[in-house]
Amino acid sequence: MAAWRYLRPGVAVLWRAPGASQVGIDPRCAVVLDDLDPLQQALLEQLPRLGGEPELNAYARTLGVGRAPVRELLDRLEELGYLVSGYPTSDTPDDRYWHLAAIAGHARPGQRSAASVLVRGLDQLGLRIAQILAQAGIGRVVPDDDRPVTLDDLGGGGYRTHDLGRPRRERALTLLRGTSPMTALTAPAAVPPDLVVLVEHGAVDAVRVRPLMRDDVAHLPVLVRELDVVVGPLVRPGAGPCLRCLDLHRRDEDPRWPAVATQITASPPDGVETSLGWLGAALAAHQVLAVVDGRGVLVAGTSLEVSATYPLPRYREWAVHPDCGCTRPAEHDDAAAAPVGRPGGVS
Ligand SMILES: [Zn+2]
């Protein structure tokens, strides 16, 4: 016998007129059923409350009718993609979102619980990225930063005043354990993560990421600057521009950039403006999840710059630098001709 059919969690049913009901709200997943007889409309309206086929059959019995009208209604909803086979075992906001997104043509993420992401740099923004990834279902989220919590790190949902002066990693572990108890928080020996998020301030130190290039580990820089947060480009070693490529482009634009960058990377980190701290963290986590889910990734060879004064990102594309050597010339001849846009030393 086939499994009972259930309405996808989160699907709303709204009465519009006699014989017409709306299923779903968002135009990307909503449809109007406008030729319902009174019995079908009554059954449809009860479906979100009852859940699925067995409950709806029982309700039909109380109305003195058999299973045929229930089956006919569910066949129609199944054809539109609103039903799942078997009782939905989980009903979190994330589950409901992805059930509705599936109707709109976006595959439900299936790889998150098997993925591991290391977040290096646990200021307020970095901690938030780790929290989002853990809550969104990444199976292993490893916080990495033994610098102490500072006043600039305190923020909603993150470090509190009693964390001041204590190692960020230790406090991040406690916070993550409290909100995401199912998430693994430590890295097994000799097993690299699938992706490393690098949260830096002012400039990214390309030297510090050499081990990631050597070990072929994908990494996503998240750079906090004075007026914006720059997410990307995602570096997949050997398959596009790396962080040294970016440094070399900046050197081309500004020959004194190496001297300036050395001073920046040696400076203590500043904090991040409040709304920008949330916006940058959400954008970075969104792109990490896109990588893990296998969806389109905007930060492939591109950085996204967001500020506290305008919510939409500014895009900046990057090319492999011909002097870098990180990618074989045959793989980047076209892209290496010139950086796209203006990488800009101090912009
Ligand atoms: Zn490179």
Side-chain angles (χ1 to χ4, degrees):
M1 178 182 170
W4 293 118
R5 295 173 290 180
Y6 286 81
L7 187 66
R8 288 184 183 273
V11 174
V13 174
L14 307 155
W15 184 91
R16 292 173 63 89
S21 291
Q22 175 176 331
V23 182
I25 299 170
D26 190 303
R28 286 167 289 193
C29 62
V31 68
V32 174
L33 304 183
D34 56 5
D35 52 355
L36 299 163
D37 62 37
L39 175 60
Q40 281 185 325
Q41 189 165 26
L43 293 171
L44 179 57
E45 287 180 355
Q46 293 299 320
L47 188 52
R49 182 178 69 82
L50 295 173
E53 198 164 8
E55 295 85 358
L56 206 56
N57 281 331
Y59 178 70
R61 277 198 301 276
T62 69
L63 300 178
V65 298
R67 294 184 174 188
V70 172
R71 189 165 53 246
E72 188 179 322
L73 174 67
L74 294 185
D75 285 349
R76 192 170 172 187
L77 290 171
E78 186 173 32
E79 196 171 322
L80 293 167
Y82 287 101
L83 302 185
V84 290
S85 180
Y87 185 77
T89 54
S90 181
D91 184 16
T92 66
D94 284 27
D95 290 322
R96 292 194 288 275
Y97 180 91
W98 287 107
H99 269 293
L100 295 172
I103 298 169
H106 298 283
R108 186 174 168 76
Q111 306 299 319
R112 291 184 182 178
S113 62
S116 64
V117 179
L118 185 146
V119 181
R120 180 175 298 164
L122 297 171
D123 64 350
Q124 183 186 140
L125 190 150
L127 171 62
R128 196 164 288 138
I129 292 172
Q131 290 173 314
I132 295 171
L133 296 178
Q135 190 172 346
I138 298 296
R140 186 179 301 278
V141 178
V142 181
D144 181 19
D145 188 346
D146 283 326
R147 289 171 292 183
V149 175
T150 70
L151 273 174
D152 285 345
D153 296 336
L154 306 187
Y159 304 113
R160 301 179 183 179
T161 50
H162 65 253
D163 296 322
L164 285 169
R166 301 174 72 175
R168 285 170 166 173
R169 179 177 174 277
E170 170 204 306
R171 300 316 302 155
L173 285 171
T174 299
L175 288 163
L176 289 164
R177 279 193 201 104
T179 54
S180 302
M182 302 302 290
T183 308
L185 302 173
T186 55
V191 178
D194 298 315
L195 179 68
V196 173
V197 180
L198 302 164
V199 180
E200 302 270 5
H201 284 247
V204 177
D205 186 349
V207 175
R208 283 210 294 262
V209 301
R210 279 181 188 163
L212 299 176
M213 294 295 289
R214 181 193 63 214
D215 296 338
D216 199 24
V217 176
H219 44 286
L220 178 70
V222 180
L223 181 62
V224 180
R225 300 193 297 195
E226 290 154 312
L227 296 180
D228 64 10
V229 169
V230 185
V231 178
L234 172 69
V235 178
R236 297 182 192 272
C242 71
L243 298 182
R244 184 164 179 266
C245 288
L246 271 62
D247 252 2
L248 292 170
H249 287 308
R250 289 193 171 106
R251 184 204 62 187
D252 292 345
E253 294 282 331
D254 175 7
R256 304 311 302 163
W257 168 249
V260 173
T262 300
Q263 296 169 69
I264 296 172
T265 53
S267 303
D270 290 324
V272 57
E273 189 272 341
T274 301
S275 67
L276 188 55
W278 287 95
L279 184 60
L283 182 60
H286 183 284
Q287 289 298 284
V288 171
L289 293 171
V291 172
V292 172
D293 293 347
R295 284 180 281 118
V297 178
L298 290 180
V299 289
T302 300
S303 55
L304 306 177
E305 304 170 3
V306 287
S307 75
T309 58
Y310 193 66
L312 297 182
R314 177 184 177 195
Y315 292 69
R316 187 169 292 206
E317 295 179 24
W318 298 90
V320 172
H321 194 284
D323 294 344
C324 182
C326 63
T327 304
R328 285 185 296 147
E331 297 175 5
H332 70 86
D333 274 352
D334 294 340
V340 182
R342 181 182 178 281
V346 295
S347 60

